[in-house]
Amino acid sequence: MFEDRSGRLPDRTPFKGYGAAVTTGPDGPRVFVGGYGTDNRVLAAEGTTGLADATPESLTDPHGHAFGVVAADVDADGEEEVYVHNSDAYGGIATEMDRLYDPTPTGWRDVFALPVNAGRENVRAGRSVAAVDRLGTGRYGLLLACYGAPMRFYELGDDGEVTDLAESVGVDFLTGGRSLVPGPIVSDRTDVFVGNERGPNYLLRNDGGHFTDVAPDFGLDARDEHARGVALVDPDGDGRFDLVVGNWEGPNRIFERRGDSFVDVAPEEWATPTRTRTVIAADFDNDGRCEVFTNAMGAPNRLLRRRDGEWQGTDPGAAREPRGLGTGATICDVDGDGTLELFVVHGEIGSQPLSMYAAPTDNAWLRVRPLTEHGAPARNAVVSLTTDRGTQTRLVCGGSGYLCQTEPVAHFGLGGDTAPFADPREIRVRWPDGRERVVETRATETELTVSHPATRET
């Protein structure tokens, strides 16, 4: 399915990396790739066919050991900050602190380095971090999946003061935390699935800004499994998200929502154990149906398609990487042509270059970018597109399950070449505060911005 476009990257030097996140820049998306004991990297489109190194010196952190990376507007100023979860220890307490990079008119600054935050920095070892709008205000908190130490939930005050609210919001679990994925899983607000190793998973239901673990109630705790990547996907467009869970050298799951319960419907191609890392759900070929991609450590990557109501394995093409040391992965339409690029990061037991893939197609597409009332990307928002052929639903990524985060855009394939064309009729956006906006459209081959109902413009 995928073809290799790694030749368009500005640097193919082998390096060790883990997390990657996509945020917005003045001229388009920026792909932030965390370096493990080497420079962080920021990539941006250059022309119509290539990418350039756009890394400001203030973000390099050459001695940091980045695991999880996430972008979100944590100070409600309309611009996204970038959080980097550093850890030079496997578990417990590390010797280096995380970074919270804030864009200012004079460049990026580390919020943890402000005097008001002395002693507030995170040095707990961990893996993933996710952006969670628990109250629906458009001001995001940052949930950290720590390992061998209690989880943290950071929020930022107007004076730049960072406060850990984990205990007060009910998420101060002592975990072997691996993955985090936020979204309306069992409530109408932003819940969080926490994938753990050497212990049960959590499903944190959002009860008005406080969280309650209800994983045992839904059979999602999986005490004997070792979660890695997790993705939320709605293959039938009913507005209820299913959970695709990848486990490390254990059976992988697809928990389909059926009424008030989840049922594992994973096909053999997916259930067979492997060294799973990041899991991503997206419509890579623009046929109107999501695929699921997962990278692996020293084993072939996998790709699933849903056909006739069932998931089935398919050939990922060049992205199979049978000898790849996959750690993280992310996606975005970096060059604005309506086709998603897939970035795969490698590392841990050896250095390998960053890879980039795409699934070329002539199928039509439509992209929707919802905004918060402050004008920043509305992560955790749900976007539905109704066409003459049914409804597709996408979640704007607050954290894509393991180490990484995808672009803050709802990407819809419309078919037309390899699948019947779907004629757009209506876009419905639901923000984390529960408010909705409906936009009638017949647009294709474009990206639409939809503002929050609290603002005047659409």
Side-chain angles (χ1 to χ4, degrees):
M1 181 178 187
F2 290 102
E3 68 174 26
D4 191 352
R5 294 187 176 177
S6 302
R8 301 181 183 184
L9 295 167
D11 184 0
R12 293 284 289 153
T13 304
F15 79 109
K16 287 186 178 182
Y18 282 89
V22 182
T23 185
T24 54
D27 302 311
R30 296 287 188 270
V31 183
F32 185 108
V33 182
Y36 193 79
T38 187
D39 289 359
N40 299 323
R41 303 180 181 184
V42 179
L43 304 176
E46 183 176 58
T48 58
T49 59
L51 287 92
D53 187 335
T55 314
E57 185 176 356
S58 55
L59 296 186
T60 58
D61 196 17
H63 303 297
H65 294 78
F67 272 104
V69 182
V70 76
D73 184 10
V74 298
D75 57 4
D77 67 350
E79 294 186 84
E80 291 197 314
E81 286 68 43
V82 175
Y83 192 99
V84 181
H85 194 2
N86 285 318
S87 181
D88 58 355
Y90 184 83
I93 303 300
T95 64
E96 62 184 74
M97 68 180 190
D98 293 354
R99 308 291 186 186
L100 176 54
Y101 293 114
D102 177 27
T104 74
T106 58
W108 294 83
R109 66 173 183 174
D110 180 9
V111 175
F112 279 120
L114 298 177
V116 70
N117 291 320
R120 295 173 180 261
E121 65 275 2
N122 179 62
V123 291
R124 296 176 185 176
R127 299 299 183 271
S128 299
V129 57
V132 181
D133 185 0
R134 65 184 180 92
L135 296 173
T137 62
R139 189 171 194 138
Y140 290 84
L142 298 163
L143 180 61
L144 278 60
C146 299
Y147 196 102
M151 296 169 62
R152 288 192 184 275
F153 191 91
Y154 282 129
E155 290 189 357
L156 193 65
D158 291 335
D159 60 353
E161 183 179 19
V162 177
T163 303
D164 180 14
L165 299 176
E167 183 178 0
S168 63
V169 303
V171 300
D172 57 331
F173 297 101
L174 178 64
T175 67
R178 288 288 184 172
S179 52
L180 300 165
V181 61
I185 304 171
V186 291
S187 79
D188 293 331
R189 299 299 177 96
T190 302
D191 310 312
V192 185
F193 180 87
V194 183
N196 292 316
E197 183 175 70
R198 301 174 184 174
N201 299 326
Y202 304 134
L203 176 56
L204 306 180
R205 186 184 62 208
N206 187 342
D207 297 322
H210 186 276
F211 295 92
T212 304
D213 178 27
V214 295
D217 301 341
F218 291 92
L220 297 176
D221 46 344
R223 291 178 175 271
D224 298 323
E225 297 178 0
H226 305 295
R228 291 298 191 272
V230 184
L232 294 177
V233 61
D234 180 12
D236 51 13
D238 66 356
R240 291 188 167 192
F241 287 98
D242 304 337
L243 279 157
V244 183
V245 182
N247 289 302
W248 179 260
E249 298 183 334
N252 301 300
R253 311 292 189 184
I254 300 179
F255 291 111
E256 183 180 278
R257 182 73 182 272
R258 295 183 182 175
D260 293 328
S261 63
F262 289 87
V263 178
D264 184 13
V265 297
E268 183 178 356
E269 298 96 323
W270 174 251
T272 302
T274 187
R275 296 175 176 178
T276 307
R277 289 298 186 140
T278 299
V279 177
I280 293 176
D283 187 356
F284 292 105
D285 58 3
N286 289 343
D287 69 347
R289 295 168 289 194
C290 274
E291 292 81 40
V292 173
F293 172 84
T294 180
N295 63 341
M297 171 64 66
N301 299 331
R302 295 178 178 179
L303 185 67
L304 289 176
R305 277 180 166 168
R306 188 174 171 89
R307 296 290 185 270
D308 300 321
E310 295 184 353
W311 291 100
Q312 54 190 251
T314 190
D315 184 5
R320 187 170 182 267
E321 293 190 342
R323 297 179 178 85
L325 303 176
T327 50
T330 190
I331 57 168
C332 73
D333 180 10
V334 72
D335 53 10
D337 67 351
T339 299
L340 293 172
E341 279 76 32
L342 167 66
F343 296 85
V344 180
V345 188
H346 310 91
E348 189 161 315
I349 61 175
S351 298
Q352 290 182 338
L354 181 70
S355 298
M356 183 173 81
Y357 303 98
T361 177
D362 291 329
N363 287 338
W365 50 274
L366 179 63
R367 290 163 58 80
V368 181
R369 182 184 297 272
L371 302 179
T372 69
E373 59 184 288
H374 312 294
R379 298 189 184 270
N380 310 153
V382 175
V383 184
S384 296
L385 171 67
T386 299
T387 72
D388 63 335
R389 294 185 174 275
T391 300
Q392 302 179 46
T393 304
R394 304 284 186 266
L395 175 67
V396 181
C397 183
S400 58
Y402 183 63
L403 307 177
C404 301
Q405 181 190 49
T406 62
E407 63 176 354
V409 180
H411 180 94
F412 298 96
L414 300 176
D417 177 32
T418 63
F421 176 75
D423 186 17
R425 303 296 173 87
E426 178 186 279
I427 295 168
R428 182 180 298 270
V429 180
R430 187 176 82 241
W431 280 265
D433 62 1
R435 285 192 276 189
E436 295 187 351
R437 171 160 279 169
V438 176
V439 177
E440 295 183 0
T441 185
R442 302 301 288 267
T444 63
E445 312 283 311
T446 191
E447 182 175 293
L448 303 178
T449 298
V450 183
S451 63
H452 189 274
T455 61
R456 294 181 178 180
E457 297 181 359
T458 60

